[in-house]
Amino acid sequence: MGSEKKMVGTPEAVRKIGRWVRSRSVREKVTLGVVIALVSLVLLKLFVKNHAYFYVAAQTSHALSVLILVYKLTISKTCAGLSLKTQELTAIHLTLGIISSIGLRGVVFIGLDVLALVATFWVIYMMRFKLKSTYMKDLDSMPLYYVLAPCAIVALIAHPRGHLNFVASWLWAFCMTVESVAVLPQLRLMQNAKVVEPFTAHYVFALGIERFFGCANWIIQIIDTKGAHLVLIGKGHIWILVALICEAVQTFILADFCYYYVKSVMEGQSIMRLPSFV
């Protein structure tokens, strides 16, 4: 392709910070990222006392990602760069989550999931029918069973036991594991394409922010309960370990992308380029 496009109106201060960050060594960049994450966690721990706010923040980030998709599909009239399989996996985990949580979660929480599911079905409809000609089917090459089969097996082995019946607990565990890897087809598509246009990059970055709040919620809960969750793992509650691993997997998968997203923004690039290993 031609020379990389520059973002219009990128503040000079941001460009200066970007140049300073780029001049650091890999070790210094990793250290800086860890410090920023830790400082963010400390600030959240100090100022956020109600854990429900983490859910609200995560849902707000998810809603922002949906709005980005709506803009892309309705205004730009293209779904180029978007993975249909990630949208289908998102619909699956939302459906499983709603079914398994009926009677266990508040109406507001279930209602938010229903709205997210409706929006996801709309995105799938647009990609399959209205904007089919712009869908990069050849690049969206990850088979769904590569994701669903391992998730189903993990859920079968490590679903909660006790107050829930088998079907409900398995559905909940299946939902959790599918959610943790739903973004993989999207990342695979972007890896195949090697470049990411702005709205797709914004969409995935918003998902990364959503996962940050989810992971922060778990970490702060473990701190507030003085490690009670970890003690339960030692008593045979393997599903808690699986839940923690799922959060870690989601955060790790998206953290790498977010690094390159921030790097591209600081360099003033509107077309984001990914290395082959992302």
Side-chain angles (χ1 to χ4, degrees), residues 1-6 195 269-273:
M1 295 182 65
S3 59
E4 294 178 349
K5 297 179 181 179
K6 298 293 181 181
V195 294
Q269 300 172 8
S270 63
I271 302 298
M272 181 177 171
R273 298 182 182 276

Side-chain angles (χ1 to χ4, degrees), residues 59-268:
Q59 288 298 311
T60 300
S61 299
H62 185 82
L64 178 60
S65 72
V66 172
L67 289 176
I68 292 170
L69 288 185
V70 170
Y71 183 90
K72 178 180 174 68
L73 298 179
T74 57
I75 306 300
S76 300
K77 301 293 185 182
T78 176
C79 64
L82 291 180
S83 168
L84 177 61
K85 292 177 181 178
T86 281
Q87 298 304 316
E88 290 171 342
L89 288 172
T90 300
I92 289 171
H93 92 70
L94 285 171
T95 302
L96 293 173
I98 292 168
I99 294 173
S100 63
S101 62
I102 292 176
L104 299 176
R105 300 169 68 200
V107 175
V108 173
F109 295 105
I110 295 177
L112 290 173
D113 283 344
V114 170
L115 290 176
L117 179 61
V118 171
T120 302
F121 278 139
W122 178 82
V123 171
I124 292 172
Y125 168 76
M126 293 293 289
M127 294 182 69
R128 277 192 174 276
F129 301 105
K130 295 294 186 179
L131 302 174
K132 183 179 180 179
S133 62
T134 63
Y135 170 47
M136 297 177 172
K137 184 176 181 179
D138 293 341
L139 299 182
D140 197 10
S141 57
M142 180 177 288
L144 287 182
Y145 62 82
Y146 278 15
V147 176
L148 294 175
C151 289
I153 294 171
V154 170
L156 186 64
I157 296 172
H159 63 275
R161 293 169 173 81
H163 64 285
L164 293 177
N165 62 59
F166 170 78
V167 174
S169 61
W170 179 79
L171 287 175
W172 179 85
F174 190 26
C175 163
M176 179 180 61
T177 52
V178 171
E179 181 184 14
S180 69
V181 292
V183 76
L184 282 179
Q186 179 65 61
L187 296 180
R188 178 65 177 274
L189 186 153
M190 294 188 300
Q191 180 185 359
N192 290 337
K194 296 296 189 294
V195 294
V196 187
E197 58 82 36
F199 286 108
T200 302
H202 299 336
Y203 161 69
V204 178
F205 182 72
L207 294 180
I209 298 300
E210 176 190 5
R211 291 314 341 137
F212 169 76
F213 284 116
C215 188
N217 184 31
W218 270 104
I219 293 173
I220 292 174
Q221 279 195 55
I222 290 174
I223 295 172
D224 287 346
T225 58
K226 297 181 173 59
H229 292 86
L230 303 181
V231 173
L232 290 173
I233 293 173
K235 293 182 178 179
H237 296 270
I238 305 300
W239 67 270
I240 297 178
L241 176 62
V242 172
L244 292 174
I245 292 175
C246 286
E247 284 291 343
V249 167
Q250 292 179 81
T251 304
F252 177 79
I253 288 173
L254 287 164
D256 191 53
F257 172 86
C258 289
Y259 164 75
Y260 288 102
Y261 175 88
V262 173
K263 180 174 179 288
S264 295
V265 171
M266 287 187 168
E267 291 175 352

